[in-house]
């Protein structure tokens, strides 16, 4: 593998923000600084105005494999991830079969390695089959390489079961990741309850369904001393509760996903099923609160919340269409909109996509440091492109951002020093 | 031409001139129908398909009669929604109908937005004959025509829409139409049967019939389906009738000349008492049915002309 020298780029990540060069040798970051000269035999990468940051660490993505290969394979997801600058991805266990057995954890890790471009970190199922009945084998799953436990798109609804999960996981130092939505309030719902759902005649889910489960689980985290992580937080009320819990020193963290700070419920328009997400898109007050939560640090990470569907899966009447939304290729670009509008600094945005999720997952990477694996993303923050369903990298095309112009484009992605994407 | 759409999918979004045009044309069809004449040349050679994914005798018959009176070839298709995959049936059916060169497609479906989905896939003009809990535009038009003919106007009136607004597409279409034309609209019912954010549609919200009906010119009752009781939204039919069923005593809260409407089919003794439903001078329920045919003729006529169309 030849050495790579990035020349005269803006280096951002892990507390670094400087102009200069970065040298990759033998798959790791060998050196960086103001100017590294011109080492023999190194491939030179030079791009005016470009930013070099650690490869993105996506802490929440549902993959089509195993079980739904017609929607997406790991190979096609890896292609989309590389185009989005993502080099590490945590995949959800609610597949077919569910990742509730050590051999399946091992398989997902191995399949990730086989792509050559993407490290896959599997979540283990919190309950067997993600059925919400009995706890999965946390200890054995951790030994096999699971990073935390969750039932994916299903909330752990039973208070008793959630208590057991938090309590038992604590013994292993593991975290429970919750889909924070009270299942009985959410049952049958298709949109956030309120004027918009009422106009469209869609069954509603009250926004409070999120805060209700968050409040309960914070209380259970306190009771058990366990660590809970709330996925795709989307409401002001839940963020308020999480901020309080953090102040109280509880082991509570959360992430959100680009739709929740970039879109509001009006994006549903005339029953557009690509905008049917779980949790559903919210009112604009909630969207603005999510932006504020990113800026003030209440939100720990931005994840793609990628969930692929086949076209036929989404050509259904809105209420019966399953929620979904791909997000790998648009993760960085949509996040950068919050930098361009002044809500976040570039360094804040990069940390939310790299270092902070890496720390939550206990993963290597997410930082620019000598000796770290050369998982890198080179992007131009001002270059324009347009999201077009049908033309996205990878197989699944169900993007909630269809038609959206994006300012900020990934130019190249490197995995352990090897270039795996070139724009 | 005042009507600038290719389809009739919803009342929401229509302008007062568009609604006014449809009502005026419908009014002329009332006279034509009463005179026993027909206009069998207007839609000659055009194909109208009634595509019903949900049972409905009244609306289907009304569209069928309207189409035949204008000379269209009318075909009725009933598709069971109990089949495994509703969506696949919907779009496969759309492709089939497109191949048949259908001109006017009347759709009823139990899912909100299903006609919008179909409208994107077929060349025909799509008429929403009721979709889930979204809209039922021709019902609102026929209600408006009924009111206009009896009250002499369809503006500045106080209309109380009572009962299960949550599950009612009729209520939503009526709210949009009546507020667009400058009437005061109230919704009256138990909180469990009123959808969240309904006040944002420009209506006043009441939970008891006394204050809700006070000063009303029109009392519009909605059907309460039996399964609402089993889903815990209302404890029992007798409790519902006691507090929200329209009988002579509750009607007395409204204006002395207030008129009674119901989209049918009625659950007598649940949301409405027979003595009120069959009132010889104040009940408009039979007239609503007559207006239904005229309104649907006006809609078919307008959409089949297709001029002035602002099709996207």
């Amino acid at each position: 593998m030849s050495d790579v020298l990035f020349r005269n780029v803006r280096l951002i990540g892990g507390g670094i923000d400087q102009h200069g060069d970065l040298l990759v040798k033998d798959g790791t970051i060998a050196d960086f600084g103001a100017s590294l000269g011109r080492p023999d035999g190194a491939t030179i990468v030079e791009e005016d105005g470009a930013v070099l940051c650690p490869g993105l660490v996506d802490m929440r993505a549902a993959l089509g494999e195993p079980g739904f290969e017609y929607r997406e394979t790991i190979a096609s997801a890896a292609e989309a991830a590389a185009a989005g600058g993502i080099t590490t991805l945590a995949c959800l266990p609610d597949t077919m079969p569910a990742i509730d057995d050590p051999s399946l954890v091992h398989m997902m890790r191995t399949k990730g390695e086989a792509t050559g471009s993407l490290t896959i970190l599997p979540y283990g199922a919190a309950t067997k089959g993600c059925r919400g009945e009995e706890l999965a084998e946390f200890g054995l799953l951790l030994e096999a390489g699971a990073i935390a436990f969750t039932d994916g798109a299903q909330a752990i609804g039973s208070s008793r079961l959630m208590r057991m999960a938090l309590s038992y996981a604590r013994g292993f130092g593991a975290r429970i990741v919750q889909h924070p939505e009270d299942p009985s309030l959410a049952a049958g719902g298709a949109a956030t309850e309120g004027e918009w759902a009422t106009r469209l005649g869609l069954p509603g889910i009250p926004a409070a369904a999120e805060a209700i489960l968050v409040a309960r689980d914070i209380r259970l985290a306190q009771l058990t001393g366990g660590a809970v992580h709330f996925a795709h937080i989307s409401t002001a009320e839940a963020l308020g509760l999480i901020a309080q819990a953090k102040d109280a020193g509880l082991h509570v963290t959360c992430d959100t996903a680009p739709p929740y700070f970039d879109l509001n419920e009006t994006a549903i328009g005339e029953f557009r099923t690509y905008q049917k997400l779980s949790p559903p898109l919210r009112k604009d007050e909630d969207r603005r609160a999510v932006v504020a939560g990113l800026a003030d640090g209440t939100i720990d990470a931005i994840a793609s919340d990628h969930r692929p569907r086949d076209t036929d899966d989404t050509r259904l009447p809105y209420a019966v269409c399953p929620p979904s939304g791909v997000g790998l290729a648009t993760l960085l670009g949509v996040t950068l909109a919050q930098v361009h509008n002044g809500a976040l600094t570039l360094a804040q945005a990069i940390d939310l996509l790299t270092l902070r999720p890496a720390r939550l997952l206990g993963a290597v990477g997410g930082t620019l440091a000598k000796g770290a694996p050369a998982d890198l993303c080179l992007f131009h923050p001002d270059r324009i492109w347009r999201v077009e369903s049908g033309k996205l990298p990878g197989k699944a095309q169900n993007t909630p951002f269809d038609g959206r112009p994006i300012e900020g484009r990934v130019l190249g992605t490197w995995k352990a020093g090897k270039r795996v994407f070139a724009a | 031409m005042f009507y600038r759409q290719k389809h009739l999918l919803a009342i929401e979004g229509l302008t007062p001139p568009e609604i006014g045009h449809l009502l005026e044309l419908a009014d002329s069809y009332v006279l034509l129908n009463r005179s026993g004449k027909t206009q069998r040349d207007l839609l000659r050679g055009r194909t109208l398909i009634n595509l019903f994914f949900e049972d409905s005798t009244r609306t289907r018959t009304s569209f069928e009669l309207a189409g035949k009176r204008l000379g269209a070839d009318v075909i009725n298709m009933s598709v069971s929604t109990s089949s495994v995959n509703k969506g696949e049936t919907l779009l496969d059916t759309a492709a089939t109908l497109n191949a048949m060169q259908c001109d006017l497609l009347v759709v009823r479906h139990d899912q909100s937005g299903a006609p919008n989905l179909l409208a994107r896939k077929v060349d025909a003009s799509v008429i929403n004959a009721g979709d889930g809990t979204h809209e039922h535009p021709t019902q609102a038009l026929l209600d408006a025509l009924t009111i206009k003919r009896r009250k002499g106007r369809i503006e500045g009136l106080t209309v109380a829409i009572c009962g299960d607004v949550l599950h009612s597409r009729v209520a939503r279409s009526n709210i949009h139409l009546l507020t667009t034309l400058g009437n005061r609209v109230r919704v009256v019912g138990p909180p469990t049967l009123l959808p969240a954010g309904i006040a944002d549609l420009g209506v006043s919200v009441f939970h008891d019939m006394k204050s809700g009906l006070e000063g009303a010119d029109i009392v519009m009752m909605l059907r309460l389906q039996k399964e609402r009781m089993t889903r815990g939204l209302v404890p029992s039919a007798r409790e519902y009738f006691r507090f929200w069923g329209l009988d002579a005593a509750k009607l007395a809260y409204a204006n002395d000349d207030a008129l009674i409407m119901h989209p049918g089919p009625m659950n007598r003794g649940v949301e409405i008492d027979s003595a009120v439903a069959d009132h010889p001078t104040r009940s408009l329920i039979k007239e609503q049915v007559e207006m239904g045919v005229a309104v649907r003729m006006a809609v078919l006529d307008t959409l089949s002309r297709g001029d002035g169309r602002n099709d996207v």
Side-chain angles (χ1 to χ4, degrees):
Chain A
M1 192 187 305
S2 92
D3 300 342
V4 186
L5 179 72
F6 294 91
R7 283 191 57 176
N8 197 22
V9 290
R10 185 172 168 191
L11 303 165
I12 300 186
I16 289 155
D17 185 352
Q18 64 178 79
H19 278 274
D21 300 355
L22 183 143
L23 180 67
V24 173
K25 257 187 196 300
D26 303 324
T28 58
I29 299 171
D31 198 7
F32 57 86
S35 177
L36 300 180
R38 195 177 269 274
D40 285 346
T43 309
I44 309 285
V45 179
E46 212 168 356
E47 192 81 40
D48 270 356
V51 174
L52 185 68
C53 71
L56 273 45
V57 179
D58 181 2
M59 72 173 296
R60 183 180 177 89
L63 299 179
E65 269 190 70
F68 303 96
E69 288 79 0
Y70 75 98
R71 292 174 183 159
E72 178 188 68
T73 59
I74 285 175
S76 76
E79 183 197 338
I86 298 164
T87 51
T88 300
L89 174 149
C91 69
L92 294 173
D94 49 341
T95 43
M96 188 74 77
I99 312 294
D100 61 358
D101 187 272
S103 64
L104 290 165
V105 173
H106 181 72
M107 179 196 80
M108 293 307 283
R109 289 226 174 219
T110 309
K111 287 203 167 198
E113 282 160 24
T115 66
S117 65
L118 184 66
T119 299
I120 293 180
L121 304 175
Y123 285 103
T127 67
K128 286 176 188 151
C130 293
R131 284 188 298 270
E133 289 159 12
E134 327 157 59
L135 291 188
E137 297 163 317
F138 290 1
L140 296 176
L141 292 167
L142 283 167
E143 270 184 358
I147 42 151
F149 300 95
T150 179
D151 278 353
Q154 307 291 322
I156 300 167
S158 151
S159 305
R160 181 187 166 276
L161 193 64
M162 186 62 175
R163 178 194 181 177
M164 300 311 289
L166 285 166
S167 188
Y168 190 66
R170 183 190 168 207
F172 292 102
R175 190 177 267 118
I176 303 293
V177 175
Q178 176 70 298
H179 166 67
E181 190 176 52
D182 182 283
S184 68
L185 286 172
T192 299
E193 193 172 277
E195 178 190 351
W196 201 257
T198 292
R199 280 183 192 277
L200 292 171
L202 294 174
I205 302 172
E210 181 170 284
I212 287 168
L213 212 61
V214 166
R216 182 200 74 174
D217 289 351
I218 287 172
R219 193 67 191 78
L220 290 173
Q222 194 178 17
L223 178 69
T224 58
V228 64
H229 176 89
F230 297 110
H232 45 219
I233 285 294
S234 61
T235 63
E237 205 183 349
L239 281 166
L241 293 166
I242 291 165
Q244 271 177 30
K246 287 184 163 193
D247 286 346
L250 300 177
H251 301 296
V252 173
T253 51
C254 70
D255 69 72
T256 192
Y260 304 110
F261 57 78
D262 196 70
L263 302 172
N264 64 32
E265 60 184 350
T266 63
I268 297 168
E270 205 180 290
F271 305 99
R272 292 165 53 152
T273 50
Y274 280 5
Q275 271 69 23
K276 184 167 177 187
L277 310 173
S278 174
L281 290 171
R282 306 296 192 186
K283 291 190 185 310
D284 205 57
E285 297 95 278
D286 283 318
R287 184 195 65 79
R288 292 195 300 265
V290 171
V291 173
L294 290 170
D296 69 21
T298 306
I299 298 173
D300 299 276
I302 298 171
S304 71
D305 211 12
H306 176 77
R307 190 162 283 267
R309 295 284 177 197
D310 178 71
T311 319
D312 285 346
D313 294 339
T314 54
R315 280 185 184 152
L316 290 169
Y318 198 89
V320 293
C321 175
S324 62
V326 292
L328 300 175
T330 52
L331 177 60
L332 178 65
V334 177
T335 301
L336 287 176
Q338 298 302 326
V339 176
H340 293 302
N341 71 19
L344 301 176
T345 65
L346 188 52
Q348 264 182 317
I350 299 300
D351 277 358
L352 283 160
L353 292 166
T354 57
L355 184 64
R356 296 177 71 189
R359 282 188 182 151
L360 278 171
L361 299 171
V364 290
T367 180
L368 295 181
K370 285 179 198 170
D375 290 1
L376 298 165
C377 166
L378 183 75
F379 66 94
H380 197 295
D382 303 324
R383 203 157 291 176
I384 307 284
W385 60 291
R386 185 185 290 273
V387 182
E388 245 181 291
S389 175
K391 293 187 177 172
L392 288 173
K395 193 172 179 198
Q397 298 291 322
N398 52 311
T399 170
F401 300 108
D402 192 17
R404 190 194 189 295
I406 301 262
E407 199 178 351
R409 170 151 226 174
V410 176
L411 304 173
T413 307
W414 284 261
K415 181 69 185 172
K418 189 184 81 172
R419 188 160 194 168
V420 293
F421 172 74
Chain B
M1 281 294 288
F2 293 102
Y3 192 84
R4 298 190 169 274
Q5 327 280 329
K6 181 184 178 183
H7 309 290
L8 177 62
L9 298 173
I11 295 291
E12 185 175 18
L14 294 187
T15 60
E18 283 173 324
I19 296 168
H21 163 77
L22 291 172
L23 293 180
E24 269 171 47
L25 189 59
D27 205 23
S28 71
Y29 277 119
V30 176
L31 299 176
L32 189 81
N33 287 341
R34 284 186 180 168
S35 72
K37 289 185 202 148
T38 53
Q39 267 212 343
R40 296 206 185 266
D41 52 330
L42 198 70
L43 296 185
R44 189 184 303 280
R46 305 284 189 114
T47 305
L48 163 69
I49 298 184
N50 271 324
L51 179 60
F52 278 60
F53 292 90
E54 204 181 59
D55 286 341
S56 158
T57 314
R58 309 160 63 100
T59 306
R60 187 185 53 72
T61 311
S62 182
F63 269 108
E64 186 175 355
L65 205 50
K68 284 182 172 165
R69 283 197 181 152
L70 295 176
D73 297 320
V74 182
I75 294 156
N76 292 318
M77 288 182 67
S78 295
V79 187
S80 168
T81 41
S82 59
S83 57
V84 219
N85 192 330
K86 295 170 191 173
E88 227 161 48
T89 310
L90 186 64
L91 287 192
D92 289 348
T93 312
T96 309
L97 296 176
N98 228 16
M100 289 176 183
Q101 321 274 322
C102 150
D103 301 294
L104 294 154
L105 183 62
V106 175
V107 185
R108 157 138 331 168
H109 201 282
D110 66 354
Q111 289 293 330
S112 301
N116 304 64
L117 185 60
L118 270 176
R120 291 198 281 265
K121 300 287 167 192
V122 297
D123 300 322
S125 284
V126 176
I127 298 155
N128 179 4
D131 63 326
T133 56
H134 177 222
E135 285 227 33
H136 191 349
T138 56
Q139 179 72 42
L141 288 164
L142 75 88
D143 287 343
L145 182 61
T146 309
I147 295 169
K148 194 178 176 195
R149 287 176 59 92
R150 276 296 279 271
K151 287 284 180 190
R153 63 195 163 111
I154 182 76
E155 60 186 330
L157 297 170
T158 298
V159 182
I161 301 177
C162 310
D164 185 4
V165 179
L166 180 64
H167 298 96
S168 179
R169 51 197 175 211
V170 174
R172 283 170 179 75
S173 287
N174 265 308
I175 288 168
H176 294 308
L177 189 149
L178 292 166
T179 54
T180 300
L181 295 187
N183 299 280
R184 289 176 296 274
V185 180
R186 302 166 174 182
V187 294
V188 190
T192 48
L193 293 180
L194 299 180
I198 188 76
D200 296 325
L201 272 61
V203 302
S204 326
V205 178
F206 295 86
H207 300 306
D208 73 286
M209 293 289 271
K210 187 169 191 288
S211 53
L213 295 197
E214 200 180 331
D217 299 303
I218 304 287
V219 181
M220 204 177 266
M221 300 307 297
L222 300 172
R223 177 179 168 76
L224 181 77
Q225 290 183 3
K226 298 239 160 58
E227 64 259 29
R228 307 302 174 219
M229 259 84 80
T230 57
R231 280 192 49 220
L233 293 165
V234 175
S236 70
R238 68 175 188 179
E239 173 151 321
Y240 186 79
F241 184 72
R242 167 75 181 78
F243 291 95
W244 295 282
L246 188 69
D247 53 15
K250 293 196 195 82
L251 182 61
Y253 301 135
N255 285 348
D256 292 342
D257 61 348
L259 299 171
I260 304 147
M261 302 179 77
H262 192 297
M266 287 182 278
N267 279 319
R268 290 168 185 267
V270 179
E271 73 264 1
I272 195 162
D273 186 55
S274 282
V276 177
D278 303 330
H279 195 285
T281 54
R282 297 176 69 184
S283 170
L284 299 180
I285 296 169
K286 287 198 194 83
E287 231 167 295
Q288 286 174 275
V289 179
E290 183 193 356
M291 294 307 130
V293 178
V295 153
R296 285 158 187 140
M297 288 169 82
V299 169
L300 297 177
D301 178 350
T302 302
L303 294 183
S304 68
R305 289 176 196 270
D307 39 329
R309 193 179 279 182
N310 188 12
D311 186 16
V312 190

